[in-house]
Amino acid sequence: GQQLNQSPQSMFIQEGEDVSMNCTSSSIFNTWLWYKQDPGEGPVLLIALYKAGELTSNGRLTAQFGITRKDSFLNISASIPSDVGIYFCAGRHTGANSKLTFGKGITLSVRP
Amino acid sequence: SAVISQKPSRDICQRGTSLTIQCQVDSQVTMMFWYRQQPGQSLTLIATANQGSEATYESGFVIDKFPISRPNLTFSTLTVSNLSPEDSSIYLCSVERTGTDTQYFGPGTRLTVL
């Protein structure tokens, strides 16, 4: 089935650094969602984007809905150790029965 | 958002047995979903749990293996039947409120099959 592309699979950064993650697709989505999953937990919604070009912040997190509607990025500024986890993007087409399509996730490690 | 609980949080089961997972939401929701997350993988939708009618299953998932109940707007169960080691995964329920395109996830149930 269709998938969203997230790469690389893992990222390693130093505490205090900024990091940017991309999510791309070959098809258009009308909603983009970013989730974070900690070990042993369910995914937690970080940011939801509903319009092309939309830029939304949630604390140190900023995400944008790409103009082409085929991509989105998530920025984390001034990283801290608790930012460690797996970051998933998810996209959704319009339609009452439209389902979420998930990326494979990026595992973020933060070195103190 | 929504407060979602799942029971059990984890279990270890023997091959050939079944496990029923419960999902409870703190308020009424229209849409409830069940996902599987195999070790180190992304989330795969198993089915949409429809209130008052049969669940809608995704390709590769069948009712005999994954029977689902949805007796009301705040509760659903997923049973994983005739367990094999390949069923070892995290099983997650999620909910979506009417008029939003956003899903919220429960904490997951970690199943290990020996």
Side-chain angles (χ1 to χ4, degrees):
Chain A
Q2 183 180 338
Q3 260 198 331
L4 298 180
N5 300 310
Q6 285 187 268
S7 65
Q9 192 173 356
S10 303
M11 299 181 81
F12 299 86
I13 61 173
Q14 198 74 34
E15 183 177 358
E17 287 182 343
D18 300 345
V19 63
S20 183
M21 304 176 190
N22 269 13
C23 187
T24 62
S25 170
S26 57
S27 66
I28 290 171
F29 286 97
N30 291 293
T31 300
W32 286 91
L33 306 171
W34 284 92
Y35 291 89
K36 178 184 180 232
Q37 186 175 28
D38 291 330
E41 303 288 330
V44 173
L45 181 67
L46 299 174
I47 293 180
L49 302 160
Y50 302 106
K51 274 196 243 182
E54 180 182 354
L55 184 71
T56 298
S57 293
N58 177 7
R60 292 178 296 106
L61 308 177
T62 301
Q64 184 157 29
F65 192 139
I67 290 290
T68 66
R69 293 161 66 193
K70 292 183 178 180
D71 64 340
S72 176
F73 73 74
L74 174 72
N75 277 354
I76 304 173
S77 62
S79 60
I80 59 178
S82 62
D83 290 332
V84 165
I86 305 175
Y87 290 82
F88 291 100
C89 64
R92 184 173 188 167
H93 302 288
T94 49
N97 297 318
S98 178
K99 305 164 196 117
L100 286 184
T101 300
F102 281 85
K104 289 189 173 182
I106 293 176
T107 300
L108 179 66
S109 299
V110 179
R111 289 186 291 258
Chain B
S1 64
V3 178
I4 306 165
S5 61
Q6 285 185 234
K7 287 183 186 178
S9 58
R10 58 178 61 230
D11 207 342
I12 301 173
C13 299
Q14 295 296 320
R15 187 192 298 256
T17 63
S18 298
L19 177 70
T20 295
I21 303 167
Q22 299 179 2
C23 179
Q24 179 78 52
V25 192
D26 66 338
S27 58
Q28 293 185 346
V29 292
T30 308
M31 308 290 284
M32 292 182 80
F33 306 89
W34 287 98
Y35 287 82
R36 181 176 72 185
Q37 186 177 28
Q38 293 176 304
Q41 302 296 314
S42 187
L43 287 77
T44 301
L45 182 63
I46 297 171
T48 302
N50 301 307
Q51 195 266 328
S53 64
E54 208 167 87
T56 306
Y57 289 84
E58 297 301 304
S59 175
F61 297 96
V62 296
I63 188 171
D64 289 347
K65 176 68 176 176
F66 298 99
I68 287 171
S69 79
R70 176 99 192 263
N72 57 53
L73 292 175
T74 63
F75 186 79
S76 178
T77 68
L78 167 74
T79 299
V80 190
S81 305
N82 190 24
L83 290 167
S84 69
E86 292 72 35
D87 295 319
S88 297
S89 290
I90 299 172
Y91 292 86
L92 296 148
C93 73
S94 76
V95 305
E96 182 176 303
R97 297 193 187 281
T98 306
T100 75
D101 282 342
T102 307
Q103 287 187 23
Y104 299 92
F105 285 85
T109 296
R110 183 180 294 271
L111 169 62
T112 302
V113 183
L114 303 177

